[in-house]
């Protein structure tokens, strides 16, 4: 209960722009929740509303069961890590980390001890006497995290904390943040536009778009069962493939038609799909759920290779199917040439279908 | 290193040299003259290097009637101006730098309008108003006018300074337990201090050098420039040089001290972090 966050119908507008539209969200205690979305989707605004750096126009914010809607950031029991780190340039690392505790008027000895402990946790105890200008980006990042953690907040808020680090450091720090969360167990809300970060860190991911949460699920669910075309296209490298398909039915069977090709569907779908006969749907499938066969016959979806990109652990093919272009992941040693005709087999259980108009996933109970 | 490149460089350096000499030669002449013995002032041709250093001229200037008194007046007015200007200008600059409000851009431009009216045009109405308010011939009155003159620059300069202090820093302080004001006092202000000091010196120099309003709005309580301008016609040459040197001094010191921060003022460049 202590670190639980609840947002009830919060709304925030800037002039005519609705940054957050009547958003509801419940973050469990000790949960690591990631707010994920493209820039301008309202994820940072949502975080700032939790922090109290923005006043909500409407709705309520609860932290640990306490209504904090009208409270300033200082009284919300939160700590925040900023994208720019926001490390105070005129204070040493030690003063930076101890800043919040000094605001609480704790005894000097106690502050010193707490600062040392958290600095050791983040492996920056050697740097306590330095000024931020003498630190690297990664070290400043650690100072910012230490400064937040030393407060022992009920809730830890992070706004794209890794986006200013170079790729290798980002990878390291990502694992470190995950370790820290496991050790400390503070409820964390983490904002990012990087879907890999979201998948790797989050207990749950809230995918946001245009001020609304479009899907709130575990990373695996979000990846495997996107709630709509947007989520499927936003998450995953490469994004989910989409192609137009038509529901066809005869006396015996129901299937999806891609051009002349008839695609089998899972048995549980059949009864429901029969009611949608002759409708067009969007079929979604991930690159790794498509198998490539060098021969085109034998009930395979015919395709033409446009580009083959070896990526080390796998090979990524760009292929043409009718009017659609698909990405297909294959083993790195599969030998194919651009222009070659190949046959594709779609893994039946991994197919998703979406409504053509709304883009929403069509699911069957 | 083509021929054209060399030519370009030569022309640029020549232009720079001309400009520098244009400014420096008068300063140098005044400086030298202020420290040469009286008799040498009238010699011709003049030597660029003074024959020997002498405080005689300066001593004569400072001993002249009314000089010390007006000097003190000038200091008082400048300090008052500086206080008023920073008290009003710094918060205004902070507001423009930090908050989006209706008419912000209009304000930023509009503040310069106060500098559109020549002081000569305002002098008579001002004198009349000041007499009515009992501010005529007072140092506070002169300081108020100087504040009005310095304020637009102060606002523009402090806006640049506070824009150079990232907003994130104050927000971080707020999430760490500071109130809005606490975050300003503990984070934004210390970081802005060097720049604010530069703005303060700039204001001081504006007030120190202002002559017209000071001359019109005072009779007995003259500031130094007002005193010099009203007595200069009747003064000997050495008095003029010494006075001139004294007027230049603060501006020179100021320039040496704040060269670094000038970039802040004109460019709105971001602060070092």
């Amino acid at each position: 209960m202590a670190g639980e966050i609840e947002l009830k119908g919060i709304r925030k507008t800037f002039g005519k722009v609705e940054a957050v539209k009547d958003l509801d969200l419940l973050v469990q205690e000790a949960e690591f929740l990631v707010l994920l979305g493209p820039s301008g989707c309202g994820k940072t605004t949502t975080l700032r509303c939790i922090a109290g750096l923005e006043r909500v126009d409407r709705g309520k914010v609860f932290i640990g069961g306490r209504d904090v809607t009208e409270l300033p950031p200082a009284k919300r029991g939160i700590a925040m890590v900023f994208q720019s780190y926001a490390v105070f340039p005129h204070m040493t690392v030690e003063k930076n980390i101890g800043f919040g505790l000094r605001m609480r008027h704790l005894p000097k000895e106690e502050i010193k001890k707490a600062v040392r402990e958290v600095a050791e946790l983040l492996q920056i105890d050697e740097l306590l006497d330095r000024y931020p200008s003498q630190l690297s980006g990664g070290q400043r990042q650690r100072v910012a995290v230490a400064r937040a953690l030393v407060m022992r907040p009920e809730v830890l808020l992070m706004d794209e904390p890794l986006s200013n680090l170079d790729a290798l450091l980002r990878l390291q720090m990502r694992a470190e943040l995950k370790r820290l969360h496991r050790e400390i167990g503070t409820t964390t809300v983490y904002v990012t536009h990087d879907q890999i970060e979201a998948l790797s860190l989050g207990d749950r991911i809230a995918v946001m778009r245009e001020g609304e949460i479009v899907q709130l699920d575990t990373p695996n669910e979000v990846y495997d069962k996107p709630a709509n075309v947007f989520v499927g296209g936003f998450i995953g490298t490469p994004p989910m493939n989409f192609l137009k398909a038509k529901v066809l039915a005869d006396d015996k069977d129901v299937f999806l038609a891609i051009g002349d090709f008839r695609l089998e569907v899972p048995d549980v779908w059949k009864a429901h799909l029969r009611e949608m006969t002759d409708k067009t749907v969007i079929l979604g499938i991930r690159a790794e759920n498509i198998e490539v066969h060098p021969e085109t016959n034998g009930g395979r979806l015919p395709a033409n290779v446009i580009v083959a990109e070896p990526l080390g652990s796998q090979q990524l093919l760009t292929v043409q199917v009718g009017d659609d272009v698909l990405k297909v992941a294959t083993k790195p040693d599969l030998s194919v040439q651009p222009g070659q005709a190949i046959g594709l087999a779609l893994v039946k259980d991994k197919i998703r279908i979406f409504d053509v108009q709304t883009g929403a996933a069509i699911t069957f109970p | 290193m083509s021929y054209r490149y060399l030519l370009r460089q030569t022309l640029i350096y020549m232009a720079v040299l001309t400009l520098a000499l244009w400014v420096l030669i008068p300063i140098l002449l005044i400086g030298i003259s202020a420290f040469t013995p009286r008799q040498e002032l009238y010699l011709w041709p003049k030597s660029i290097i003074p024959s020997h250093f002498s405080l005689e001229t300066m001593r004569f200037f400072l001993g002249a009637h009314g000089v010390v008194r007006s000097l003190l007046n000038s200091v008082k007015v400048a300090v008052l101006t500086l206080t008023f200007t920073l008290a009003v200008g710094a918060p205004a600059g902070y507001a423009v730098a930090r908050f989006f409000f209706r008419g912000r851009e209009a304000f930023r431009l509009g503040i310069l309008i106060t500098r559109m009216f020549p002081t000569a045009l305002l002098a008579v109405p001002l004198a009349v108003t000041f007499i009515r308010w009992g501010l005529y011939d007072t140092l506070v009155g002169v300081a108020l006018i100087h504040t009005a003159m310095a304020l637009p620059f102060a606002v523009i300069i402090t806006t640049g300074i506070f824009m150079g202090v990232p907003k994130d820093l104050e927000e971080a302080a707020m999430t760490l337990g500071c109130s809005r004001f606490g975050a300003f006092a503990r984070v934004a202000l210390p970081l802005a201090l060097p720049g604010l000091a530069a703005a303060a010196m700039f204001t001081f120099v504006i007030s120190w050098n202002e002559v017209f309003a000071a001359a019109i709005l005072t009779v007995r309580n003259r500031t130094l420039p007002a005193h010099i301008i009203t007595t200069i016609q009747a003064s000997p040459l050495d008095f003029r040089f010494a006075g001139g040197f004294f007027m230049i001094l603060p501006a020179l010191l100021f320039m040496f001290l704040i060269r670094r921060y000038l970039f802040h003022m004109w460019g709105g460049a971001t602060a070092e972090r």
Side-chain angles (χ1 to χ4, degrees), chain B:
Chain B
M1 285 294 246
S2 67
Y3 168 73
R4 284 181 60 144
Y5 174 81
L6 276 177
L7 185 72
R8 239 174 70 109
Q9 290 297 306
T10 315
L11 282 176
I12 287 173
Y13 276 100
M14 272 169 65
V16 169
L17 198 70
T18 314
L19 279 174
L21 289 179
W22 180 269
V23 175
L24 285 177
I25 286 180
I27 293 177
L28 186 73
L29 284 179
I30 291 175
I32 288 170
S33 306
F35 291 101
T36 40
R38 197 172 174 176
Q39 306 81 355
E40 275 185 33
L41 282 179
Y42 297 98
L43 289 181
W44 194 265
K46 262 190 191 335
S47 66
I48 284 286
I49 303 137
S51 61
H52 59 277
F53 183 79
S54 148
L55 285 174
E56 186 196 341
T57 307
M58 287 312 271
R59 215 176 289 133
F60 168 70
F61 170 73
L62 288 174
H65 173 73
V67 166
V68 171
R69 196 175 119 85
S70 61
L71 183 69
L72 286 177
N73 280 345
S74 259
V75 172
K76 282 182 203 162
V77 167
V79 169
L80 275 175
T81 303
L82 192 154
T83 314
F84 293 159
T85 305
L86 279 193
V88 179
Y94 183 78
V96 175
R98 276 290 181 275
F99 303 112
F100 289 95
F101 51 85
R102 203 178 285 270
R104 186 175 78 154
E105 293 309 308
F107 175 81
R108 286 179 75 170
L109 277 180
I111 192 144
L112 284 170
I113 288 176
T114 52
R115 298 291 296 164
M116 262 172 47
F117 303 100
T119 321
L121 201 72
L122 298 173
V124 175
L126 266 176
V128 172
T129 312
F130 270 30
I131 289 169
R132 207 174 286 156
W133 287 356
L135 285 173
Y136 189 76
D137 201 17
T138 63
L139 297 181
V140 175
V142 178
L144 282 176
I145 292 304
H146 288 178
T147 303
M149 291 174 169
L151 207 48
F153 297 114
V155 172
I156 289 168
I157 292 169
T158 50
T159 301
I161 293 165
F162 283 119
M163 276 180 168
V165 178
K167 196 178 174 186
D168 281 1
L169 293 180
E170 277 178 272
E171 291 184 340
M174 282 164 71
T175 64
L176 291 168
C178 283
S179 62
R180 187 104 198 38
F181 181 76
F184 171 78
R186 284 169 194 279
V187 177
L189 197 59
L191 290 173
L193 219 50
L196 287 179
M201 282 191 265
F202 188 67
T203 308
F204 188 94
V205 170
I206 286 183
S207 169
W208 180 267
N209 287 345
E210 199 286 325
V211 57
F212 193 83
I216 283 180
L217 296 176
T218 55
V219 178
R220 281 166 296 125
N221 289 315
R222 295 280 196 213
T223 60
L224 188 61
H227 178 75
I228 292 175
I229 201 136
T230 47
T231 52
I232 204 156
Q233 292 303 328
S235 305
L237 201 54
D238 46 349
F239 179 88
R240 298 183 194 185
F241 279 123
F245 181 74
F246 230 89
M247 296 309 302
I248 294 173
L249 205 55
L252 270 184
L253 289 177
F254 160 76
M255 281 305 163
F256 278 119
L257 288 173
I258 69 148
R259 269 180 316 181
R260 243 168 63 106
Y261 297 105
L262 278 174
F263 295 107
H264 266 310
M265 298 176 197
W266 317 129
T270 49
E272 297 173 50
R273 301 197 43 197

